[in-house]
């Protein structure tokens, strides 16, 4: 069963709940604006290591427990590899080859993986409406992320693009497959935080996993990337600073604090908000536009979030309605 403690007052605050996904969505846009002038692994390392130091300093100011057992360090090391090095590495490499909005959409397919793992490992209740909401969300991000011509072809029964290998070739040549690997890494990291927090404070563990996870990325940058920062402008450094301080330090600190105590399926479902913010700000700052199908996808994601996070209340109302309807129907039936 899920051993998470009841959520604190802060964890129930709507602004706190939404903050990580707003920050991730806007940071995606900021990163995309700076990517033409830098290299992916350098960007990923800068986004992690300084942010981790900030989180650790904040944990000292907040007087969070700093003691970590030997087993705790092993869990943090695994957490750092999966959610630090792999997630940020795949994210930065994939972002170079896809749009900020589309990149966010592909990453945010991870709530389904989180739900499956949380159900199997922690016994989290999902329910029929929860599964419907998750599938509805996947449909939404599919409308957001897949090319419109693919969707229209399916509507008309034309699957030549799929059976002929066009879809696979498109995904492999673009950054989408890297974004899917990033999604799986993040989903696994979300599950790992429950194990990590049995041996370390969640805020402290988040800081250390960012520092340790960022160091291999800096190593890869030093070995294979040439002049990763020489072409950066003042605006680019500002975008990197925003992505580091707000899109990493603050967003990850809040997210993993929430993940350590709340329902993972409900929290992860809010990740569907990230592409909405990314697409909105991508349109404002990077001139990335939305088609009619993508707007439909936005509405699907919002409906899915409502279904998942209100599934218990909606299920109870549905049961009450069915009981009331059954009672009314039986009262007019002949004896």
């Amino acid at each position: 069963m899920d051993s998470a403690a009841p959520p604190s007052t802060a964890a129930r605050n709507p602004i706190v709940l939404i903050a990580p996904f707003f920050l991730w969505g806007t940071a995606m846009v900021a990163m995309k604006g700076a990517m033409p002038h830098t290299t992916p692994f350098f960007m990923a390392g800068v986004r992690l290591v300084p942010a981790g130091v900030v989180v650790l300093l904040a944990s000292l100011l907040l007087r969070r427990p700093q003691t970590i057992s030997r087993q705790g360090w092993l869990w943090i090391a695994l957490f750092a590899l999966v959610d630090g090095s792999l997630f940020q590495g795949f994210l930065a490499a994939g972002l170079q080859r896809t749009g900020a909005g589309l990149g966010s959409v592909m990453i945010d397919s991870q709530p389904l993986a989180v739900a499956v793992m949380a159900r199997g490992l922690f016994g989290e209740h999902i329910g029929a409406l929860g599964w419907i909401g998750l599938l509805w969300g996947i449909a939404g991000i599919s409308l957001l992320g897949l090319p419109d011509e693919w969707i229209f072809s399916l509507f008309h029964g034309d699957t030549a693009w799929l059976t002929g290998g066009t879809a696979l070739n498109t995904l492999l040549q673009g950054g989408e497959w890297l974004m899917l690997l990033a999604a799986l890494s993040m989903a696994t990291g979300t599950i790992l935080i429950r194990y990590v927090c049995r041996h370390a404070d969640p805020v402290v563990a988040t800081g250390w996993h960012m520092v340790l996870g960022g160091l291999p990325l800096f190593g890869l940058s030093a070995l294979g990337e040439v002049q990763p920062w020489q072409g950066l402008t003042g605006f680019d450094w500002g975008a990197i600073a925003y992505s580091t301080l707000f899109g990493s330090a603050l967003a990850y600190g809040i997210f993993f604090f929430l993940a350590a105590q709340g329902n993972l399926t409900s929290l992860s479902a809010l990740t569907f908000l990230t592409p909405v913010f990314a697409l909105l700000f991508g349109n404002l700052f990077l001139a990335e536009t939305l088609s009619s199908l993508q707007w439909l996808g936005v509405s699907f994601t919002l409906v899915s979030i409502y279904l998942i996070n209100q599934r218990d209340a909606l299920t109870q109302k549905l049961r009450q309605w069915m009981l009331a309807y059954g009672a009314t129907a039986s009262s007019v039936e002949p004896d």
Side-chain angles (χ1 to χ4, degrees), residues 187-211:
T188 306
T190 302
I191 294 296
L192 283 175
I193 191 64
R194 285 286 176 83
Y195 296 98
V196 173
C197 291
R198 295 173 183 175
H199 308 279
D201 176 79
V203 177
V204 175
T206 297
W208 279 116
H209 110 281
M210 296 171 80
V211 172

PDB file of all heavy atoms in Angstrom, residues 187-211:
ATOM      1  N   ALA A 187       9.242   9.683 -15.117  1.00  0.00           N
ATOM      2  CA  ALA A 187       8.246   8.853 -14.434  1.00  0.00           C
ATOM      3  C   ALA A 187       8.908   7.940 -13.408  1.00  0.00           C
ATOM      4  O   ALA A 187       8.429   7.793 -12.278  1.00  0.00           O
ATOM      5  CB  ALA A 187       7.476   8.025 -15.461  1.00  0.00           C
ATOM      6  N   THR A 188      10.027   7.354 -13.790  1.00  0.00           N
ATOM      7  CA  THR A 188      10.754   6.484 -12.861  1.00  0.00           C
ATOM      8  C   THR A 188      11.297   7.284 -11.680  1.00  0.00           C
ATOM      9  O   THR A 188      11.248   6.825 -10.533  1.00  0.00           O
ATOM     10  CB  THR A 188      11.907   5.774 -13.589  1.00  0.00           C
ATOM     11  OG1 THR A 188      11.398   5.089 -14.738  1.00  0.00           O
ATOM     12  CG2 THR A 188      12.603   4.786 -12.678  1.00  0.00           C
ATOM     13  N   GLY A 189      11.781   8.501 -11.955  1.00  0.00           N
ATOM     14  CA  GLY A 189      12.266   9.356 -10.873  1.00  0.00           C
ATOM     15  C   GLY A 189      11.167   9.736  -9.901  1.00  0.00           C
ATOM     16  O   GLY A 189      11.385   9.810  -8.691  1.00  0.00           O
ATOM     17  N   THR A 190       9.964   9.968 -10.425  1.00  0.00           N
ATOM     18  CA  THR A 190       8.829  10.301  -9.560  1.00  0.00           C
ATOM     19  C   THR A 190       8.517   9.154  -8.612  1.00  0.00           C
ATOM     20  O   THR A 190       8.182   9.363  -7.442  1.00  0.00           O
ATOM     21  CB  THR A 190       7.592  10.628 -10.415  1.00  0.00           C
ATOM     22  OG1 THR A 190       7.904  11.712 -11.300  1.00  0.00           O
ATOM     23  CG2 THR A 190       6.409  11.021  -9.549  1.00  0.00           C
ATOM     24  N   ILE A 191       8.634   7.925  -9.092  1.00  0.00           N
ATOM     25  CA  ILE A 191       8.416   6.755  -8.240  1.00  0.00           C
ATOM     26  C   ILE A 191       9.554   6.596  -7.238  1.00  0.00           C
ATOM     27  O   ILE A 191       9.337   6.294  -6.059  1.00  0.00           O
ATOM     28  CB  ILE A 191       8.297   5.483  -9.106  1.00  0.00           C
ATOM     29  CG1 ILE A 191       7.040   5.556  -9.977  1.00  0.00           C
ATOM     30  CG2 ILE A 191       8.283   4.232  -8.239  1.00  0.00           C
ATOM     31  CD1 ILE A 191       5.742   5.586  -9.213  1.00  0.00           C
ATOM     32  N   LEU A 192      10.785   6.833  -7.677  1.00  0.00           N
ATOM     33  CA  LEU A 192      11.943   6.631  -6.813  1.00  0.00           C
ATOM     34  C   LEU A 192      11.937   7.536  -5.588  1.00  0.00           C
ATOM     35  O   LEU A 192      12.483   7.171  -4.541  1.00  0.00           O
ATOM     36  CB  LEU A 192      13.240   6.861  -7.613  1.00  0.00           C
ATOM     37  CG  LEU A 192      13.684   5.746  -8.558  1.00  0.00           C
ATOM     38  CD1 LEU A 192      14.901   6.183  -9.357  1.00  0.00           C
ATOM     39  CD2 LEU A 192      13.983   4.469  -7.773  1.00  0.00           C
ATOM     40  N   ILE A 193      11.343   8.737  -5.690  1.00  0.00           N
ATOM     41  CA  ILE A 193      11.399   9.672  -4.571  1.00  0.00           C
ATOM     42  C   ILE A 193      10.764   9.069  -3.317  1.00  0.00           C
ATOM     43  O   ILE A 193      11.180   9.374  -2.199  1.00  0.00           O
ATOM     44  CB  ILE A 193      10.728  11.017  -4.940  1.00  0.00           C
ATOM     45  CG1 ILE A 193      11.025  12.078  -3.872  1.00  0.00           C
ATOM     46  CG2 ILE A 193       9.237  10.843  -5.143  1.00  0.00           C
ATOM     47  CD1 ILE A 193      12.460  12.446  -3.730  1.00  0.00           C
ATOM     48  N   ARG A 194       9.782   8.185  -3.487  1.00  0.00           N
ATOM     49  CA  ARG A 194       9.162   7.541  -2.321  1.00  0.00           C
ATOM     50  C   ARG A 194      10.180   6.680  -1.563  1.00  0.00           C
ATOM     51  O   ARG A 194      10.173   6.632  -0.340  1.00  0.00           O
ATOM     52  CB  ARG A 194       7.974   6.688  -2.757  1.00  0.00           C
ATOM     53  CG  ARG A 194       6.748   7.494  -3.133  1.00  0.00           C
ATOM     54  CD  ARG A 194       6.068   8.067  -1.878  1.00  0.00           C
ATOM     55  NE  ARG A 194       4.949   8.905  -2.226  1.00  0.00           N
ATOM     56  CZ  ARG A 194       3.738   8.477  -2.506  1.00  0.00           C
ATOM     57  NH1 ARG A 194       3.486   7.186  -2.496  1.00  0.00           N
ATOM     58  NH2 ARG A 194       2.775   9.335  -2.798  1.00  0.00           N
ATOM     59  N   TYR A 195      11.023   5.973  -2.306  1.00  0.00           N
ATOM     60  CA  TYR A 195      12.049   5.139  -1.667  1.00  0.00           C
ATOM     61  C   TYR A 195      13.166   6.001  -1.083  1.00  0.00           C
ATOM     62  O   TYR A 195      13.678   5.722   0.003  1.00  0.00           O
ATOM     63  CB  TYR A 195      12.618   4.152  -2.685  1.00  0.00           C
ATOM     64  CG  TYR A 195      11.607   3.162  -3.196  1.00  0.00           C
ATOM     65  CD1 TYR A 195      10.965   3.355  -4.414  1.00  0.00           C
ATOM     66  CD2 TYR A 195      11.282   2.022  -2.462  1.00  0.00           C
ATOM     67  CE1 TYR A 195      10.025   2.453  -4.877  1.00  0.00           C
ATOM     68  CE2 TYR A 195      10.342   1.111  -2.920  1.00  0.00           C
ATOM     69  CZ  TYR A 195       9.720   1.333  -4.131  1.00  0.00           C
ATOM     70  OH  TYR A 195       8.790   0.438  -4.587  1.00  0.00           O
ATOM     71  N   VAL A 196      13.543   7.052  -1.817  1.00  0.00           N
ATOM     72  CA  VAL A 196      14.594   7.947  -1.344  1.00  0.00           C
ATOM     73  C   VAL A 196      14.205   8.577  -0.010  1.00  0.00           C
ATOM     74  O   VAL A 196      15.018   8.680   0.921  1.00  0.00           O
ATOM     75  CB  VAL A 196      14.880   9.045  -2.393  1.00  0.00           C
ATOM     76  CG1 VAL A 196      15.840  10.085  -1.836  1.00  0.00           C
ATOM     77  CG2 VAL A 196      15.457   8.432  -3.674  1.00  0.00           C
ATOM     78  N   CYS A 197      12.946   8.987   0.107  1.00  0.00           N
ATOM     79  CA  CYS A 197      12.496   9.724   1.291  1.00  0.00           C
ATOM     80  C   CYS A 197      12.321   8.853   2.514  1.00  0.00           C
ATOM     81  O   CYS A 197      12.029   9.365   3.600  1.00  0.00           O
ATOM     82  CB  CYS A 197      11.207  10.473   0.974  1.00  0.00           C
ATOM     83  SG  CYS A 197      11.482  11.828  -0.173  1.00  0.00           S
ATOM     84  N   ARG A 198      12.503   7.565   2.366  1.00  0.00           N
ATOM     85  CA  ARG A 198      12.552   6.701   3.545  1.00  0.00           C
ATOM     86  C   ARG A 198      13.892   6.825   4.260  1.00  0.00           C
ATOM     87  O   ARG A 198      14.029   6.394   5.405  1.00  0.00           O
ATOM     88  CB  ARG A 198      12.313   5.242   3.143  1.00  0.00           C
ATOM     89  CG  ARG A 198      10.919   4.982   2.580  1.00  0.00           C
ATOM     90  CD  ARG A 198      10.785   3.572   2.046  1.00  0.00           C
ATOM     91  NE  ARG A 198       9.464   3.340   1.434  1.00  0.00           N
ATOM     92  CZ  ARG A 198       9.112   2.236   0.798  1.00  0.00           C
ATOM     93  NH1 ARG A 198       9.996   1.236   0.694  1.00  0.00           N
ATOM     94  NH2 ARG A 198       7.909   2.109   0.274  1.00  0.00           N
ATOM     95  N   HIS A 199      14.873   7.407   3.578  1.00  0.00           N
ATOM     96  CA  HIS A 199      16.216   7.492   4.133  1.00  0.00           C
ATOM     97  C   HIS A 199      16.778   8.911   4.141  1.00  0.00           C
ATOM     98  O   HIS A 199      17.870   9.132   4.661  1.00  0.00           O
ATOM     99  CB  HIS A 199      17.173   6.602   3.316  1.00  0.00           C
ATOM    100  CG  HIS A 199      16.687   5.198   3.141  1.00  0.00           C
ATOM    101  ND1 HIS A 199      16.835   4.232   4.124  1.00  0.00           N
ATOM    102  CD2 HIS A 199      16.037   4.595   2.111  1.00  0.00           C
ATOM    103  CE1 HIS A 199      16.304   3.093   3.694  1.00  0.00           C
ATOM    104  NE2 HIS A 199      15.825   3.284   2.481  1.00  0.00           N
ATOM    105  N   ALA A 200      16.054   9.878   3.567  1.00  0.00           N
ATOM    106  CA  ALA A 200      16.561  11.257   3.496  1.00  0.00           C
ATOM    107  C   ALA A 200      15.396  12.220   3.353  1.00  0.00           C
ATOM    108  O   ALA A 200      14.316  11.844   2.878  1.00  0.00           O
ATOM    109  CB  ALA A 200      17.521  11.410   2.311  1.00  0.00           C
ATOM    110  N   ASP A 201      15.623  13.465   3.780  1.00  0.00           N
ATOM    111  CA  ASP A 201      14.611  14.503   3.610  1.00  0.00           C
ATOM    112  C   ASP A 201      14.393  14.752   2.114  1.00  0.00           C
ATOM    113  O   ASP A 201      15.367  14.801   1.339  1.00  0.00           O
ATOM    114  CB  ASP A 201      15.095  15.792   4.284  1.00  0.00           C
ATOM    115  CG  ASP A 201      14.140  16.942   4.074  1.00  0.00           C
ATOM    116  OD1 ASP A 201      13.119  17.003   4.782  1.00  0.00           O
ATOM    117  OD2 ASP A 201      14.413  17.777   3.187  1.00  0.00           O
ATOM    118  N   PRO A 202      13.135  14.921   1.649  1.00  0.00           N
ATOM    119  CA  PRO A 202      12.887  15.069   0.209  1.00  0.00           C
ATOM    120  C   PRO A 202      13.539  16.297  -0.409  1.00  0.00           C
ATOM    121  O   PRO A 202      14.000  16.238  -1.559  1.00  0.00           O
ATOM    122  CB  PRO A 202      11.358  15.147   0.119  1.00  0.00           C
ATOM    123  CG  PRO A 202      10.886  15.492   1.490  1.00  0.00           C
ATOM    124  CD  PRO A 202      11.877  14.891   2.420  1.00  0.00           C
ATOM    125  N   VAL A 203      13.587  17.417   0.317  1.00  0.00           N
ATOM    126  CA  VAL A 203      14.207  18.627  -0.235  1.00  0.00           C
ATOM    127  C   VAL A 203      15.718  18.447  -0.351  1.00  0.00           C
ATOM    128  O   VAL A 203      16.336  18.777  -1.373  1.00  0.00           O
ATOM    129  CB  VAL A 203      13.862  19.856   0.631  1.00  0.00           C
ATOM    130  CG1 VAL A 203      14.556  21.098   0.093  1.00  0.00           C
ATOM    131  CG2 VAL A 203      12.353  20.065   0.684  1.00  0.00           C
ATOM    132  N   VAL A 204      16.328  17.885   0.701  1.00  0.00           N
ATOM    133  CA  VAL A 204      17.773  17.636   0.677  1.00  0.00           C
ATOM    134  C   VAL A 204      18.118  16.633  -0.425  1.00  0.00           C
ATOM    135  O   VAL A 204      19.088  16.818  -1.180  1.00  0.00           O
ATOM    136  CB  VAL A 204      18.256  17.133   2.048  1.00  0.00           C
ATOM    137  CG1 VAL A 204      19.735  16.752   1.994  1.00  0.00           C
ATOM    138  CG2 VAL A 204      18.015  18.196   3.125  1.00  0.00           C
ATOM    139  N   ALA A 205      17.338  15.569  -0.526  1.00  0.00           N
ATOM    140  CA  ALA A 205      17.585  14.562  -1.563  1.00  0.00           C
ATOM    141  C   ALA A 205      17.452  15.159  -2.957  1.00  0.00           C
ATOM    142  O   ALA A 205      18.226  14.827  -3.869  1.00  0.00           O
ATOM    143  CB  ALA A 205      16.607  13.394  -1.394  1.00  0.00           C
ATOM    144  N   THR A 206      16.481  16.053  -3.138  1.00  0.00           N
ATOM    145  CA  THR A 206      16.310  16.707  -4.439  1.00  0.00           C
ATOM    146  C   THR A 206      17.546  17.514  -4.804  1.00  0.00           C
ATOM    147  O   THR A 206      18.026  17.471  -5.946  1.00  0.00           O
ATOM    148  CB  THR A 206      15.065  17.610  -4.419  1.00  0.00           C
ATOM    149  OG1 THR A 206      13.906  16.805  -4.201  1.00  0.00           O
ATOM    150  CG2 THR A 206      14.910  18.358  -5.736  1.00  0.00           C
ATOM    151  N   GLY A 207      18.073  18.266  -3.839  1.00  0.00           N
ATOM    152  CA  GLY A 207      19.275  19.061  -4.104  1.00  0.00           C
ATOM    153  C   GLY A 207      20.464  18.209  -4.480  1.00  0.00           C
ATOM    154  O   GLY A 207      21.157  18.480  -5.473  1.00  0.00           O
ATOM    155  N   TRP A 208      20.710  17.149  -3.708  1.00  0.00           N
ATOM    156  CA  TRP A 208      21.856  16.298  -4.006  1.00  0.00           C
ATOM    157  C   TRP A 208      21.695  15.553  -5.325  1.00  0.00           C
ATOM    158  O   TRP A 208      22.667  15.364  -6.071  1.00  0.00           O
ATOM    159  CB  TRP A 208      22.076  15.301  -2.868  1.00  0.00           C
ATOM    160  CG  TRP A 208      22.821  15.883  -1.709  1.00  0.00           C
ATOM    161  CD1 TRP A 208      22.377  16.072  -0.432  1.00  0.00           C
ATOM    162  CD2 TRP A 208      24.176  16.360  -1.728  1.00  0.00           C
ATOM    163  NE1 TRP A 208      23.348  16.648   0.338  1.00  0.00           N
ATOM    164  CE2 TRP A 208      24.470  16.831  -0.431  1.00  0.00           C
ATOM    165  CE3 TRP A 208      25.160  16.441  -2.712  1.00  0.00           C
ATOM    166  CZ2 TRP A 208      25.715  17.378  -0.099  1.00  0.00           C
ATOM    167  CZ3 TRP A 208      26.391  16.985  -2.388  1.00  0.00           C
ATOM    168  CH2 TRP A 208      26.671  17.436  -1.093  1.00  0.00           C
ATOM    169  N   HIS A 209      20.476  15.136  -5.654  1.00  0.00           N
ATOM    170  CA  HIS A 209      20.293  14.403  -6.906  1.00  0.00           C
ATOM    171  C   HIS A 209      20.542  15.317  -8.101  1.00  0.00           C
ATOM    172  O   HIS A 209      21.012  14.874  -9.152  1.00  0.00           O
ATOM    173  CB  HIS A 209      18.899  13.760  -6.947  1.00  0.00           C
ATOM    174  CG  HIS A 209      17.937  14.353  -7.912  1.00  0.00           C
ATOM    175  ND1 HIS A 209      17.252  15.525  -7.651  1.00  0.00           N
ATOM    176  CD2 HIS A 209      17.524  13.945  -9.150  1.00  0.00           C
ATOM    177  CE1 HIS A 209      16.467  15.805  -8.676  1.00  0.00           C
ATOM    178  NE2 HIS A 209      16.607  14.875  -9.601  1.00  0.00           N
ATOM    179  N   MET A 210      20.265  16.609  -7.951  1.00  0.00           N
ATOM    180  CA  MET A 210      20.531  17.548  -9.038  1.00  0.00           C
ATOM    181  C   MET A 210      22.032  17.781  -9.208  1.00  0.00           C
ATOM    182  O   MET A 210      22.547  17.825 -10.333  1.00  0.00           O
ATOM    183  CB  MET A 210      19.790  18.858  -8.775  1.00  0.00           C
ATOM    184  CG  MET A 210      18.270  18.697  -8.785  1.00  0.00           C
ATOM    185  SD  MET A 210      17.388  20.162  -8.238  1.00  0.00           S
ATOM    186  CE  MET A 210      17.450  21.136  -9.744  1.00  0.00           C
ATOM    187  N   VAL A 211      22.730  17.936  -8.097  1.00  0.00           N
ATOM    188  CA  VAL A 211      24.180  18.132  -8.179  1.00  0.00           C
ATOM    189  C   VAL A 211      24.860  16.900  -8.762  1.00  0.00           C
ATOM    190  O   VAL A 211      25.659  16.990  -9.712  1.00  0.00           O
ATOM    191  CB  VAL A 211      24.753  18.459  -6.784  1.00  0.00           C
ATOM    192  CG1 VAL A 211      26.285  18.479  -6.825  1.00  0.00           C
ATOM    193  CG2 VAL A 211      24.223  19.806  -6.289  1.00  0.00           C
TER     194      VAL A 211
END
